Amino acid sequence: MKAFSKAGMALSLLSLLTLTACGTNSASSTPSNSASGSGATKGTILIGVETPMTGSSAKMGVDMNNAIQMAANQINAKGGVLDKKIKLTFQDDACDPQTAAAAANKLVSENVVAVVGGYCSGAVLPATGVYHQAGIPMVVTAANSAEIPAQGYKDIFLINGTTTAQAETAANYMVKTLGAKNIAILNDNSAYSQDLANRTKSAVTKDGAKVIAFDAIDPQATDYTTELTKLKALHPDATYFTGYYSAGGLILKQFKQLGVSGAFGVGDGANDPTIIKIAGVQNAQGLFTTTSPTPQFQASAKSWVQQYQKEFNTAPGPYSALSYDGMRLLANAISRAGSTSSKAIISALAATKGFPTFGGPVSFKSDGELAKSNFVVLLVKNGQYQLAK
């Protein structure tokens, strides 16, 4: 997911005092359930949700919010946690560092006992600094920059594999499965995209292939002909783009129109059917995507996918299942803690061993990273995603 430079992160953190007074600069499209006083009142447990609800990644926020609300509703229908009902309060981080810091400060001021969500790493990085300072745990359900656990916070837990594991998956697929010897890697100049690109470059080299092009593109551009014409002259066996679907779809479309050689793939930031619409079904044929397991390809999630579709009249997004499981994990940790104390919840989350989720059992390393990553590769055939063999 999106991240930003260390310099940008420092600037964002320096802005926190100002942002605390201002609050979020984007109103949530989800009704706020804020409460005054303690986050654990007599009958409720207040949990914060931070996702993008405005901006280019708003669709992902809707997908995640739906799943989190769905999980909370189901938990409440069974009696809640510790004889209390879960109450959610939503804040929009807009996938923007400063907005995210403001959103985090707002949730802290509402006295939430914990937070779940987080799509863009660039927003999660400053937000986790706020939560850590306040001693509030966060279960991160989508963002996966390796910079997040590298911060050393013992109260932040990621249930999505990091860029390190994704880079190894991408390199393995291109070099060992596709037999690529000459590989091009493109990024969109965001820190997340650069992080995944750099790690993939190292992994590709380690696997014995050569990186013949390593370039950044402008994600706001509408014409990549110049960059792709240069790339075409290099005759790549595979090209891997680590940015997002809006730019990725256009690059793929022009990549195919110019007749650049080799396979084309993207990272999990571009994992959304929208990329197929932007590129066109014919151009998207054969597109490979590295991603955490999506619910549509998990046998254990079949009935859940149907239930989600019935409830929201749409298919779950790439991070819906992770968000659903993140809410369930948090509720389970509160139950195991036997307390709504944030400190007790942090200890329970750290002690999680084999919590069952659609993507497999969850346990954490000492830095809050998922103990066992489970990235897969998807292929587009006839306009639809399917698991690569």
Side-chain angles (χ1 to χ4, degrees), residues 4 9 12-13 16 96-98 100-101 104 120-131 151:
F4 58 105
M9 178 177 169
S12 177
L13 293 176
L16 290 182
D96 173 75
Q98 292 190 343
C120 294
S121 295
V124 170
L125 280 161
T128 51
V130 176
Y131 299 134
Q151 294 175 114

Side-chain angles (χ1 to χ4, degrees), residues 2 51-54 56-57 92-97 99-100 119-120 122-123:
K2 291 178 184 175
T51 55
M53 290 179 275
T54 57
S56 61
S57 297
D92 175 21
D93 66 23
C95 274
D96 173 75
T99 304
Y119 171 67
C120 294

Side-chain angles (χ1 to χ4, degrees), residues 142-153:
N144 64 357
S145 171
E147 292 183 32
I148 299 173
Q151 294 175 114
Y153 301 152

Side-chain angles (χ1 to χ4, degrees), residues 250-320:
L250 186 55
I251 292 172
L252 174 55
K253 180 179 181 179
Q254 295 175 1
F255 179 96
K256 293 290 187 176
Q257 289 174 337
L258 285 171
V260 183
S261 63
F264 188 92
V266 294
D268 62 338
N271 178 21
D272 190 272
T274 307
I275 193 172
I276 301 173
K277 296 178 182 179
I278 296 172
V281 173
Q282 185 174 352
N283 292 325
Q285 182 79 357
L287 169 70
F288 71 88
T289 304
T290 54
T291 183
S292 53
T294 52
Q296 289 85 348
F297 303 105
Q298 297 163 285
S300 60
K302 184 176 181 180
S303 61
W304 179 81
V305 170
Q306 294 173 344
Q307 185 178 3
Y308 183 102
Q309 188 144 5
K310 181 179 179 181
E311 186 166 340
F312 300 107
N313 198 32
T314 186
Y319 299 98
S320 296

